[in-house]
Amino acid sequence: HGGYNQHSSVQAAGALPALDLLVEAASQAELPADDAPIIIADYGSSGGRNSSAPMATAIKILRNRKGPSHAISVVHTDLPGNDFTGLFKFLESDPASYLIGDQNVFASAVGRSFYEQLLPSASVTLGWSSWAVQWLSRTPAIIPDHVQIAFSHDPAACAAFARQAAQDWETFLIQRARE
């Protein structure tokens, strides 16, 4: 019910340094040669507030490259339990929404784990994920001596989490390469 949007200013600030990389990627991304829409995937959107500035940044660059009338589709992805209603309410009414003032940008959502393929092969022009990739696909072990693996002194638990993180990162990259 908007809780993440209200309490995620630290995450928003932490993602700001990555905007330069998004600018570079949007400037170099291969664009559709015809009238096919440009697809931007937002992997791990939550309530949308922290996605809006990166999406607006990417849209501005892509608009400069392809023109104001070209269709741009922003596909927000998150787990099925995400508050997608809150996401769309934010996009519709918040002054920070990237949708404001651009009739050729279309928002949609996919409610599945990004450890799966979420969009058709070879369809995504540009992808963005700021914090969500820190979450593992599953908890690989019980942490016997702490609530956070980063502070655990248990070698077996640390090794299990490191293996899972490496496997999930590889899976994430394979799925994005397909898209």
Side-chain angles (χ1 to χ4, degrees), residues 74-135:
V74 178
V75 182
H76 298 279
T77 74
D78 214 311
L79 294 172
N82 186 56
D83 180 12
F84 287 107
T85 299
L87 167 69
F88 287 111
K89 284 181 179 179
F90 169 82
L91 292 173
E92 179 182 12
S93 63
D94 196 283
S97 172
Y98 63 82
L99 288 177
I100 293 176
D102 194 330
Q103 297 301 310
N104 290 316
V105 176
F106 306 90
S108 62
V110 174
R112 290 198 335 251
S113 169
F114 56 43
Y115 293 117
E116 305 172 49
Q117 184 172 345
L118 301 175
L119 296 162
S121 294
S123 67
V124 175
T125 304
L126 188 64
W128 168 262
S129 185
S130 58
W131 287 94
V133 292
Q134 73 174 328
W135 298 104

